[in-house]
Amino acid sequence: MVNNNLYTNVMARANLRAAAQLVREMREVDPEAYERVARSLDLGGDEVGDWEECAAKMMISFDETFGIHPRTTRSSPRNSGISRTRPMISGPSCCTSTRS
């Protein structure tokens, strides 16, 4: 069973996007620093693109009927709470059955 936790998924998506943006920016602004970091982290191929793709596919559930982000998609009375917060990340929706 997958527990798609709202907070965990939102934070993971934000961190993946921020890391990808920083690495891409570093590659343009300071290519030498980028090369050092890329070697140090053993960044291969289009790993940064993989981070962006993963972030784009991150599940952020939204219940249109109730206008809420459920905290989790796991069926458990203990974890059935809801969060009436506004979306935490702006930008286009890029995931099936989700809303950013």
Side-chain angles (χ1 to χ4, degrees):
M1 179 182 300
V2 174
N3 179 3
N4 283 303
N5 180 278
L6 174 66
Y7 179 79
T8 301
N9 289 3
V10 168
M11 293 308 298
R13 183 170 74 175
N15 285 314
L16 286 165
R17 287 177 173 171
Q21 180 181 352
L22 179 65
V23 169
R24 290 193 187 284
E25 195 173 302
M26 183 185 294
R27 186 176 2 194
E28 289 183 30
V29 174
D30 191 345
E32 290 177 16
Y34 167 78
E35 287 301 323
R36 285 192 306 273
V37 169
R39 261 193 317 278
S40 170
L41 297 176
D42 195 26
L43 288 179
D46 191 27
E47 191 169 344
V48 174
D50 292 343
W51 300 345
E52 292 167 324
E53 181 179 354
C54 184
K57 292 180 179 178
M58 188 72 56
M59 182 175 182
I60 309 295
S61 298
F62 185 79
D63 186 317
E64 294 286 342
T65 303
F66 296 106
I68 60 166
H69 290 279
R71 281 191 213 148
T72 182
T73 59
R74 188 165 82 183
S75 309
S76 166
R78 186 174 146 244
N79 292 314
S80 62
I82 57 173
S83 176
R84 292 189 177 273
T85 60
R86 282 179 245 133
M88 300 172 98
I89 296 178
S90 62
S93 174
C94 51
C95 306
T96 307
S97 302
T98 62
R99 179 173 148 177
S100 329

